[in-house]
Amino acid sequence: CKENNVYNEHFMNMECCPVCGSASQKRFIMECPIDPDGYTAFEKPGDVTKHFERTIQEFRQYNPQVLSRPSYLDGDSKDTADYKIGPWIITLDGVATNEEMERLIYWGHKFGYERSTDGGDASMDGSWEAVETDDRTSSETFCDGLCDTDPIIQGLMKRIENVTGIPEAHSDYLQLLYYTEGQFYKTHQDYHSHQVFSSTGARILTFYIYLNDVESGGGTNFPYLDLTIMPKKGRVAMWANVLDEDPMEEHLLARHQALPVESGEKYGATAWFHHRDYMNNNPDLCGR
C-alpha cells in the first residue's frame, strides 16, 4: 500500500501481516464464529469434579478406579489415600467392545498409519506446523471419513459421549495410534493454550482406549505424579487436562508420556474433548 507514493509501514504491518510477515504485531487467525448459545464444557470452578463424579457414580459397570483427584475425600489423608492429588485421572474397563476395538485397528491399517508428528511453529494464520521429532516415534492416522461414519464406530462414539457427559461434537476425530517395539512419546501436554479463547476452546479432557494387550512396556506415565497406567485391552484412561478451580487453565501435572514398548506392539485410540463444539467450529471443518 502507498500513501502519496510513500509506503505506509504501520498500515501494512497491521492490516497486511500475511504479506509483510508481521503476524507478531497482529494476531491473524481464520476462525469460525463462536456460537453465543453454544454449550461450554468445564466452564466454571468445580465442573471438572462434577463430570468425573458423575462418571464414577453412573457407570459402575465399567469398574471405575480413581488414580488421582484434586483433593482428598473426607477422612482421607496422604497416609491413607490410595490415589494421588493432582488432576482427575480414572480408568474404566470394558467401555469398548471387542468388535469396536478390532474395527478401529482395521480402519487404522486400511487408512495407513504414518509417522506421528508434533506441533511446530505457529503460522501467520494461527495454524501449527506438523513436524516429526525424536520425542515421538509412533505412527498414527485419524478415524474420519468411512471410519467416522461406520455404524460400529458411531455406536462407540455415542457411548463415549454418555460416559464423559460431553457432546461428541466437542471431540476431534479419534486419533488411531500404533507403536512397535522401542517406540514412545516423551512427556507432553494435550492442552494447548493458544486454543483457549478460540472458537473450539482448548483440549480439556483426554479419553484414551487401549485396543490390545501389550506383551511388555507401553504404559501411560504421569511423571510428576509418579503414576503409570499399564495397557490392557479394553481399558480406558480418562483424565482432565485443566484445573478444577479454573477450567480454562492447564493442569501442569496432567503432562504425560507413552513409555517405550518393550515387547510386542501397542494399538490405541484417543478422543480429545474441547471446551466448545469442535466439529462445527474447527476452521478446517466448519461450514461443511
Side-chain angles (χ1 to χ4, degrees):
C1 299
K2 289 185 178 181
E3 187 175 59
N4 297 326
N5 294 321
V6 176
Y7 285 103
N8 187 331
E9 182 178 0
H10 176 73
F11 176 86
M12 289 290 289
N13 282 338
M14 296 306 292
E15 301 303 328
C16 307
C17 53
V19 175
C20 301
S22 55
S24 61
Q25 298 183 39
K26 181 174 181 178
R27 191 170 174 83
F28 184 80
I29 299 178
M30 300 301 295
E31 287 189 344
C32 311
I34 295 177
D35 181 358
D37 300 319
Y39 170 68
T40 299
F42 294 8
E43 183 176 25
K44 297 176 291 187
D47 280 355
V48 182
T49 289
K50 289 178 183 177
H51 272 76
F52 275 80
E53 288 184 340
R54 168 194 166 276
T55 299
I56 293 165
Q57 291 298 321
E58 296 186 11
F59 295 94
R60 294 184 181 276
Q61 69 268 34
Y62 300 134
N63 189 31
Q65 299 293 312
V66 177
L67 305 182
S68 174
R69 53 175 294 138
S71 60
Y72 291 116
L73 291 168
D74 289 344
D76 281 348
S77 67
K78 181 179 179 180
D79 295 329
T80 61
D82 59 357
Y83 49 84
K84 307 286 186 176
I85 296 299
W88 272 102
I89 305 172
I90 66 174
T91 58
L92 304 160
D93 290 322
V95 176
T97 67
N98 285 332
E99 181 183 32
E100 291 163 347
M101 291 184 286
E102 290 167 3
R103 196 69 173 166
L104 287 172
I105 293 173
Y106 162 81
W107 281 118
H109 284 292
K110 182 76 172 178
F111 289 163
Y113 291 99
E114 297 182 353
R115 173 69 182 268
S116 297
T117 58
D118 271 335
D121 295 332
S123 300
M124 287 181 289
D125 66 354
S127 63
W128 290 73
E129 179 187 10
V131 295
E132 292 184 5
T133 73
D134 293 336
D135 290 343
R136 189 179 193 188
T137 60
S138 59
S139 299
E140 66 180 42
T141 188
F142 283 89
C143 181
D144 54 9
L146 292 174
C147 178
D148 182 58
T149 58
D150 184 330
I152 294 174
I153 305 306
Q154 288 182 332
L156 172 62
M157 293 306 299
K158 182 56 63 176
R159 196 174 313 117
I160 293 173
E161 175 182 272
N162 291 337
V163 170
T164 61
I166 303 174
E168 178 187 344
H170 284 230
S171 173
D172 299 63
Y173 289 119
L174 283 177
Q175 183 189 52
L176 307 180
L177 292 158
Y178 178 53
Y179 294 79
T180 59
E181 285 187 20
Q183 292 186 333
F184 56 84
Y185 188 5
K186 292 184 179 179
T187 303
H188 61 282
Q189 79 276 29
D190 291 343
Y191 172 100
H192 297 307
S193 59
H194 70 277
Q195 295 180 322
V196 173
F197 299 109
S198 71
S199 53
T200 66
R203 292 173 176 174
I204 55 175
L205 181 140
T206 300
F207 192 96
Y208 185 90
I209 310 170
Y210 300 95
L211 300 179
N212 72 309
D213 292 317
V214 180
E215 292 179 21
S216 180
T220 303
N221 172 254
F222 295 82
Y224 303 114
L225 293 171
D226 190 24
L227 172 65
T228 300
I229 301 170
M230 296 307 298
K232 177 184 176 184
K233 184 177 181 180
R235 173 162 292 166
V236 166
M238 173 175 150
W239 66 86
N241 296 305
V242 293
L243 296 167
D244 186 49
E245 63 270 26
D246 186 356
M248 296 296 166
E249 291 292 329
E250 176 190 3
H251 202 310
L252 297 178
L253 300 185
R255 298 189 177 202
H256 55 284
Q257 61 181 327
L259 297 175
V261 173
E262 297 170 6
S263 179
E265 57 188 1
K266 173 185 170 184
Y267 290 94
T270 308
W272 292 296
F273 283 87
H274 294 250
H275 285 108
R276 293 178 283 278
D277 185 330
Y278 179 83
M279 285 299 173
N280 296 301
N281 287 332
N282 179 355
D284 293 331
L285 301 174
C286 65
R288 295 187 180 180

